[in-house]
Amino acid sequence: MSEPRLEDIEDYNTLKGEKKKIVLAVILAGLIMGVIYVVAFKVFDNKEEALPVEKSLNKIPMK
């Protein structure tokens, strides 16, 4: 059994055909998911504090 050689790989120099389409689809899917994440973060990010704290506790009450 011999080692594979780079010259024997059919698309060594360039991606062609089905492999090129798959690589482009994966890259586009990643970019689309990134854009959706950024938009959702900007829309749903609540910069206000949900429960405002009006005073701090000096001592924790013990039972």
Side-chain angles (χ1 to χ4, degrees):
M1 193 152 123
S2 65
E3 293 287 325
R5 298 181 314 155
L6 291 176
E7 292 83 16
D8 296 335
I9 299 173
E10 61 190 38
D11 61 354
Y12 170 66
N13 291 327
T14 60
L15 287 177
K16 295 178 184 174
E18 191 66 25
K19 286 185 181 181
K20 187 173 186 175
K21 290 178 186 176
I22 291 173
V23 169
L24 289 176
V26 169
I27 291 171
L28 287 175
L31 289 173
I32 290 170
M33 288 190 316
V35 168
I36 291 171
Y37 175 78
V38 168
V39 169
F41 184 78
K42 296 286 184 182
V43 169
F44 296 111
D45 185 31
N46 190 2
K47 295 186 183 199
E48 300 173 0
E49 190 173 339
L51 298 171
V53 178
E54 295 178 5
K55 67 176 189 175
S56 63
L57 296 173
N58 292 336
K59 292 172 81 177
I60 299 175
M62 305 278 280
K63 289 185 177 182

